[in-house]
Amino acid sequence: MSFTSQTLTGSKPEQYAQLAAQAHALLSGESDRIANAANLSALVYHALPDLNWAGFYFHDGTELVVGPFQGLPACVRIALDKGVCGAAARTRQTQRVEDVDAFPGHIACDSASRSELVVPLVKHDRLVGVLDLDSPRLARFDEEDQRGLEAIAAIYVESLA
């Protein structure tokens, strides 16, 4: 397999369209959740500015367990009633947090993180896990980021067998 990452250009929606095309190419023909999560974490982490963590937590039936990621070592297990990741998993709704210090029950795996976006991963009404992005910048993620990363998460979920 040969894959070439390309620098994103244009408006933010155009950049996310380019990132989605790269994600489709990267995951095409592969259904292994770990391999795809590893490659997608690297793609997103290196393509988007102002991130200090990008990766996956997988639901093991009880809690979230860290999966492939890019960034500093992370919390290994997150209860569904804790933190931004737990809220996304529990509600199955994307959580976009401008200031993590203002989020009740935030788990500070990396003290440098200031804002966070977490997209739940659901396939056939079953919680697979979450895609988690952290930034050292307050209010890093806006509605365009949310839409773009929800599309990336959907590409990941579609890749699963």
Side-chain angles (χ1 to χ4, degrees):
M1 183 204 78
S2 177
F3 177 84
T4 305
S5 178
Q6 295 160 342
T7 303
L8 305 178
T9 59
S11 67
K12 197 179 275 190
E14 290 169 334
Q15 290 180 23
Y16 276 109
Q18 294 163 33
L19 189 60
Q22 290 181 31
H24 269 295
L26 188 61
L27 305 187
S28 177
E30 181 54 64
S31 63
D32 185 86
R33 76 176 188 158
I34 301 298
N36 286 346
N39 273 333
L40 204 51
S41 297
L43 178 68
V44 169
Y45 185 81
H46 291 286
L48 299 179
D50 299 318
L51 296 182
N52 62 328
W53 205 89
F56 290 79
Y57 277 90
F58 293 123
H59 187 240
D60 70 355
T62 304
E63 61 193 347
L64 297 172
V65 181
V66 71
F69 67 90
Q70 299 280 309
L72 292 177
C75 302
V76 174
R77 296 179 181 274
I78 298 176
L80 296 190
D81 63 349
K82 301 283 189 230
V84 182
C85 287
R90 185 176 65 255
T91 65
R92 296 185 181 195
Q93 293 182 335
T94 298
Q95 303 291 307
R96 190 176 77 237
V97 180
E98 292 189 352
D99 180 356
V100 294
D101 292 336
F103 188 91
H106 173 254
I107 303 165
C109 295
D110 180 348
S111 61
S113 293
R114 304 293 305 160
S115 60
E116 188 167 5
L117 181 77
V118 183
V119 182
L121 306 169
V122 179
K123 183 159 180 111
H124 303 307
D125 206 36
R126 186 178 69 80
L127 179 66
V128 174
V130 298
L131 171 60
D132 180 21
L133 289 90
D134 292 3
S135 174
R137 203 177 90 213
L138 280 172
R140 158 64 181 87
F141 305 103
D142 62 17
E143 289 180 19
E144 290 176 338
D145 293 300
Q146 180 174 336
R147 279 192 295 274
L149 289 159
E150 285 172 343
I152 298 297
I155 292 165
Y156 174 77
V157 170
E158 289 168 14
S159 78
L160 303 176

